[in-house]
Amino acid sequence: MPCHPESSLRRLPLVTLYLSERCNSRCISCDYWRYGRAELDLASVRKLLPSLERLRTEVVLLSGGEPLLNPEWAPIAALLRRQGLKPWLLTSGLSLAKHARRAGILFDAITVSLDGADRATYNAIRGVDAFDVVCRGVRAAVAAGAPVTLRVTLQRGNFRQLPHFVDLGRTLGVTQLSFLAVDVANTHAFSRREAAAAGLALCPEELPQLERLLLELERDRADAFRTGLIAESAPKLRRRILQYFTAVCGLGPYPEVRCNAPEFSAVIDARGRVSPCFFIGGPAPAAAADDLEEVLNSEAMTGLRGTIRRGERAECARCVCSMWRDPGAAAADRGLLPAGRGA
C-alpha cells in the first residue's frame, strides 16, 4: 500500500511510450542520437494493456528518440488501436514519407517536429540535410488523410523565422502548429548528459526582436490565431516564449507554471522506466513496469508526485511545456490530442 493515498492514481487518460532511444536526427539540443540504444518491444506493450484498461487510458503518445525506427512501431500502434486506444505519433518526420499511408490509418494524430522553415536552418539545428524529405513526408501524411500538426522549438537559430513557420504550415496543409521554447534550463532534458549546448537560447540584445516578431505575428496573422492554426494564444506565446528567454538571460522571472501533468499522464521509456513527466525522471524501477497501476501508486512514485504538487521540484519552475487539465473534464482525450480525429 502506498504511504501517500492522497496521491493515488486511478485514472490515467494519457500515456507516453518511448518506442526507441535511437534517432535519425542529430539535433544540437538533444543527445538521444548519441547514446540511444534501447527499444520497447511489442510484447512489453502487450503486457501493459490490462493496466491501461484499468486506468481508463484513452490516448497513447508514441515518442522517442524516433519511434518510427522501432521495427515494431506499426504492430504496436495497431495493437493499441484494437484495444480502443487513440494512438498519437510524435516524429522527426524523416521516415514519414515512406510510412505515410500506414501511419495515416493507424494514428489519430501525427505531430512532426520541424525546427527550420528552410533547408539551411533545418540542417543547422537538426544536424541532417532533410528539410525537403520531412516536408514531403508531411504532405504525404496529409494526403493520406492523417491529421498532421507541427511542433516548432524556437531557439536562437530559428526565432526570426517565426512568421515563416506559419506560412509553411499552411503550404503543407497541416491542421495546427504549436510553438515552445528550447529547453536549456533543465540540464537532463532530452537525454542530455551535460548542460545544453551554448548558443541555443537568445541573447539579451535579441529579446526586443523576438518581442517585435510576436507582436507582428499577432497583427499580420490574426486569422491563424482565430482559426486555431496556431495552437497557442498570442498572450500565451509572449508568456511562454518571450518571458522564458528573458528569464534565461537573467532579466526577469520564469513564467508562472500551472501544471498537473503527473496527475493525468505518465511516461514510460524504452527501458520500461516510469516517470511522472518528460522532465522529471521516475524512481529506479524495482521490476519491469508490467503492472503500471502498481508502479504509479508505489510509495516512491506517490511521494515524488507529492513533491511536484507542493512545488518542491526546481525543474517545474523552469518548465517549457507545462500542461494543465481540469480534473473534472468528462472526456479523457479532450485537450490531450492536438487538432485531429479525437480533438
Side-chain angles (χ1 to χ4, degrees):
M1 292 293 290
C3 293
H4 306 271
E6 75 282 359
S7 296
S8 296
L9 288 183
R10 301 303 174 199
R11 187 175 185 186
L12 197 71
L14 173 64
V15 170
T16 297
L17 300 180
Y18 286 0
L19 291 197
S20 179
E21 292 179 340
R22 298 185 298 126
C23 192
N24 47 7
S25 293
R26 300 291 184 269
C27 298
I28 58 177
S29 60
C30 178
D31 276 350
Y32 275 114
W33 61 273
R34 298 180 191 273
Y35 309 116
R37 298 291 183 273
E39 291 184 335
L40 198 64
D41 60 22
L42 180 63
S44 298
V45 176
R46 185 175 285 112
K47 290 178 182 178
L48 286 170
L49 294 180
S51 293
L52 298 182
E53 183 175 7
R54 289 194 301 272
L55 290 163
R56 291 176 287 170
T57 301
E58 293 205 9
V59 177
V60 179
L61 171 62
L62 302 186
S63 182
E66 172 49 54
L68 293 181
L69 290 182
N70 186 318
E72 294 186 301
W73 73 265
I76 289 172
L79 174 66
L80 295 171
R81 179 165 290 285
R82 288 196 302 272
Q83 192 71 11
L85 297 158
K86 298 178 186 297
W88 168 17
L89 174 67
L90 175 58
T91 175
S92 68
L94 271 68
S95 304
L96 191 54
K98 176 181 178 181
H99 300 299
R101 182 172 296 182
R102 200 172 189 187
I105 295 171
L106 290 174
F107 292 103
D108 280 75
I110 297 173
T111 297
V112 178
S113 295
L114 186 63
D115 295 335
D118 58 38
R119 181 178 177 181
T121 305
Y122 182 94
N123 192 2
I125 293 175
R126 307 292 291 195
V128 290
D129 185 7
F131 176 75
D132 294 333
V133 172
V134 173
C135 289
R136 186 162 61 248
V138 172
R139 290 191 179 97
V142 170
V148 181
T149 64
L150 298 182
R151 187 190 66 180
V152 179
T153 302
L154 288 176
Q155 51 198 281
R156 191 179 188 190
N158 67 7
F159 80 93
R160 295 177 181 86
Q161 296 185 331
L162 184 59
H164 303 303
F165 282 112
V166 179
D167 299 337
L168 177 62
R170 284 188 171 124
T171 300
L172 296 177
V174 302
T175 57
Q176 197 170 72
L177 301 93
S178 178
F179 297 94
L180 75 161
V182 64
D183 187 290
V184 295
N186 289 319
T187 56
H188 64 278
F190 303 104
S191 195
R192 291 195 295 255
R193 298 189 179 181
E194 300 177 355
L200 291 178
L202 277 65
C203 297
E205 57 268 23
E206 293 169 324
L207 297 176
Q209 186 177 3
L210 173 60
E211 183 175 21
R212 184 170 64 253
L213 285 168
L214 288 168
L215 291 172
E216 289 174 356
L217 187 73
E218 183 178 3
R219 181 194 66 205
D220 299 338
R221 290 164 178 79
D223 61 320
F225 289 103
R226 185 177 61 253
T227 61
L229 177 63
I230 299 176
E232 298 82 11
S233 66
K236 184 175 182 179
L237 279 184
R238 289 195 297 272
R239 183 173 68 252
R240 300 303 298 171
I241 305 293
L242 178 60
Q243 188 178 342
Y244 176 83
F245 284 124
T246 300
V248 169
C249 291
L251 300 175
Y254 282 93
E256 182 180 355
V257 172
R258 185 173 186 244
C259 180
N260 63 350
E263 306 299 330
F264 65 83
S265 66
V267 176
I268 304 174
D269 70 17
R271 299 175 188 271
R273 185 169 181 170
V274 181
S275 297
C277 72
F278 291 105
F279 296 102
I280 298 178
D290 297 343
D291 190 333
L292 181 58
E293 189 174 14
E294 181 178 336
V295 174
L296 290 170
N297 293 312
S298 66
E299 180 179 359
M301 189 66 83
T302 53
L304 177 56
R305 285 199 303 274
T307 65
I308 296 170
R309 189 183 304 110
R310 293 189 298 271
E312 297 173 1
R313 297 292 302 218
E315 302 96 323
C316 297
R318 303 188 298 263
C319 187
V320 297
C321 63
S322 57
M323 296 191 298
W324 174 265
R325 176 177 167 78
D326 180 358
D333 67 330
R334 186 173 300 159
L336 297 176
L337 279 171
R341 293 175 187 141

